[in-house]
Amino acid sequence: MAPAETIARVRPLMARMGITRVANVTGLDRIGLPVVMVCRPNARSLAVSQGKGLDMDAATASGLMEAAELYHAEHIEAPLKLGSLNELAHSHRMIDLDRLARVSDRFHRDLPMLWIQGRDLVSGEERWVPFECVRANYTLPPPPGSGCFLCSSNGLASGNTMAEATCHAICELIERDATTLWHQSPPERRAKTGLDLESVADPACRAVLDRLQGAGFDVHAWQVASDLGVPAFFCLISDRRDRGAHHGIGAGAHPTRAIALLRALTEAAQVRCTYISGARDDLQPEEYGRHALDQKARAAAGMRASHRPMVNFAALDEFVSDDFAEDLDWLLARLRAVGIDEAVAVDLRKPGLDLPVVRVVIPGLEAPCDHPAWRPGPRALAAARAAAP
């Protein structure tokens, strides 16, 4: 579906979802890549969402759908069950809790907590998932049993169809897992994953690269794909005119390498514009202080200095399809190939809105390592052991 059609579908629903404004913030930076912010003043998570794209329709559709998926995860109407694992496990099929990302040692089998039903995309069977892994309502007090598992927007996605939304969600989870594992790897190994940008011939990626470089930005990208073999990239953009200015970082994963790289590049531009706008409500005042900016400048300088453009973009493996069902089958096969045999999708569609929104929870994949309560899971621990001298 063209972005303009998506916008036309969502606009009549904006008031119900609390969207009051879609602002074009592209002109706050000199890059010129379209970026919007979508405002929901009474949100129960972030009141400001971002969108980006190659044109304004794509950016607007991106921002609206991000706001829509957060709204759905803030206002879940599906039935919930309250009980401990010991109380419910005899009659309910539970997700593999041992492999879920934890943020504390609080969980135990007798802890009463809320659960929500999903469907395992691999087996087709129902699974019950901790509600904490699905909700995006961060108002206080939290529900019973909170504080055990990762509660974030990771794996939350929308789309024009459920298959599209599900693919987006899985790709995001794979991207975060790959980026976490890459950050935990030794510096010398990361340096060898540097992408040779001259080898990128895809027209859309090339247009974004040329725009960034023409605006006076250094662009560095790394191929961060994990053992899953799904194309994934991490990108850094740095202002050549002012090394102490806000940088942009972005990451992306997708079966097709050009789409994965395009996501990373456009997200980097969006992140920088978001810092310039200052409107997103999880930005902290100290992030604009000289100390924080100097720290980020030193980190960016270190990444640029260690970058080795050794990876040929055209030589990277990929899966190309124009069917989301085929993409989904391929992604699930890649997960199974590394021993991840469960991917639970929770349908968050709401009556009267009819927007495909899903939360996917995949036990075994690593959570984002920039989360303040991140704890390494089995894959990160294995990577650390492999990297040890």
Side-chain angles (χ1 to χ4, degrees):
M1 185 179 294
E5 294 179 64
T6 301
I7 296 169
R9 180 182 185 181
V10 176
R11 277 201 186 278
L13 310 175
M14 287 171 54
R16 179 170 167 184
M17 295 188 291
I19 297 173
T20 60
R21 183 184 181 208
V22 179
N24 177 5
V25 295
T26 309
L28 296 180
D29 201 359
R30 66 176 190 275
I31 295 173
L33 192 73
V35 177
V36 305
M37 57 181 255
V38 179
C39 304
R40 292 184 305 125
N42 290 326
R44 297 177 179 179
S45 59
L46 291 177
V48 174
S49 299
Q50 279 75 38
K52 76 282 188 187
L54 296 180
D55 56 41
M56 189 50 61
D57 278 350
T60 301
S62 168
L64 285 172
M65 294 301 273
E66 181 177 289
E69 65 199 34
L70 283 172
Y71 170 80
H72 281 70
E74 293 169 359
H75 300 266
I76 294 175
E77 299 177 20
L80 305 177
K81 293 200 175 184
L82 175 64
S84 70
L85 180 60
N86 276 338
E87 290 173 324
L88 298 175
H90 70 284
S91 56
H92 296 69
R93 187 73 180 271
M94 300 300 188
I95 197 170
D96 186 351
L97 296 169
D98 291 335
R99 301 177 76 183
L100 280 184
R102 304 284 182 93
V103 296
S104 74
D105 294 321
R106 186 166 186 259
F107 176 77
H108 56 83
R109 295 182 64 90
D110 291 311
L111 178 69
M113 59 193 302
L114 289 173
W115 304 81
I116 188 169
Q117 187 180 47
R119 182 176 61 87
D120 178 20
L121 297 169
V122 177
S123 67
E125 299 173 351
E126 73 170 36
R127 292 286 190 275
W128 286 83
V129 181
F131 185 52
E132 185 166 38
C133 299
V134 178
R135 67 177 173 90
N137 181 351
Y138 305 139
T139 56
L140 299 175
S146 297
C148 301
F149 302 99
L150 185 69
C151 186
S152 72
S153 62
N154 194 25
L156 175 64
S158 55
N160 293 300
T161 66
M162 283 301 289
E164 180 183 5
T166 304
C167 286
H168 285 334
I170 294 175
C171 284
E172 181 173 80
L173 290 162
I174 289 174
E175 168 215 307
R176 304 288 167 78
D177 170 84
T179 305
T180 290
L181 295 177
W182 181 77
H183 278 298
Q184 303 311 305
S185 64
E188 60 273 14
R189 187 176 302 171
R190 292 201 302 271
K192 295 177 182 178
T193 63
L195 182 65
D196 178 9
L197 295 177
E198 296 302 317
S199 67
V200 178
D202 175 74
C205 291
R206 195 73 257 162
V208 174
L209 286 168
D210 292 345
R211 180 180 288 276
L212 287 164
Q213 291 162 347
F217 287 83
D218 288 326
V219 184
H220 293 79
W222 293 262
Q223 189 274 121
V224 300
S226 69
D227 53 345
L228 274 72
V230 178
F233 299 92
F234 182 82
C235 176
L236 167 71
I237 63 171
S238 310
D239 191 342
R240 285 198 298 267
R241 300 182 189 177
D242 182 1
R243 291 301 193 190
H246 289 289
H247 296 78
I249 59 171
H254 190 272
T256 304
R257 58 179 180 250
I259 296 176
L261 179 59
L262 186 64
R263 287 179 175 177
L265 292 169
T266 54
E267 184 176 82
Q270 173 188 278
V271 165
R272 178 178 146 92
C273 193
T274 299
Y275 271 101
I276 292 172
S277 76
R280 185 163 147 149
D281 32 336
D282 60 345
L283 297 179
Q284 302 301 313
E286 53 267 26
E287 294 186 67
Y288 292 83
R290 192 69 264 164
H291 177 69
L293 289 172
D294 287 344
Q295 276 189 322
K296 290 182 179 180
R298 286 193 294 271
M303 294 184 70
R304 291 193 300 268
S306 65
H307 183 273
R308 302 289 181 270
M310 301 174 65
V311 176
N312 185 334
F313 182 76
L316 296 174
D317 291 337
E318 63 177 344
F319 176 77
V320 180
S321 167
D322 58 2
D323 187 318
F324 282 113
E326 292 181 4
D327 282 351
L328 180 56
D329 287 343
W330 185 80
L331 289 167
L332 293 174
R334 298 313 307 154
L335 290 167
R336 291 196 301 272
V338 299
I340 297 175
D341 55 5
E342 198 174 42
V344 179
V346 181
D347 187 343
L348 298 181
R349 283 177 291 188
K350 298 175 75 67
L353 289 179
D354 195 31
L355 287 178
V357 178
V358 66
R359 168 79 78 166
V360 176
V361 183
I362 303 180
L365 289 185
E366 291 294 329
C369 59
D370 59 355
H371 189 280
W374 177 74
R375 292 183 169 200
R379 285 167 60 79
L381 292 172
R385 288 193 296 269

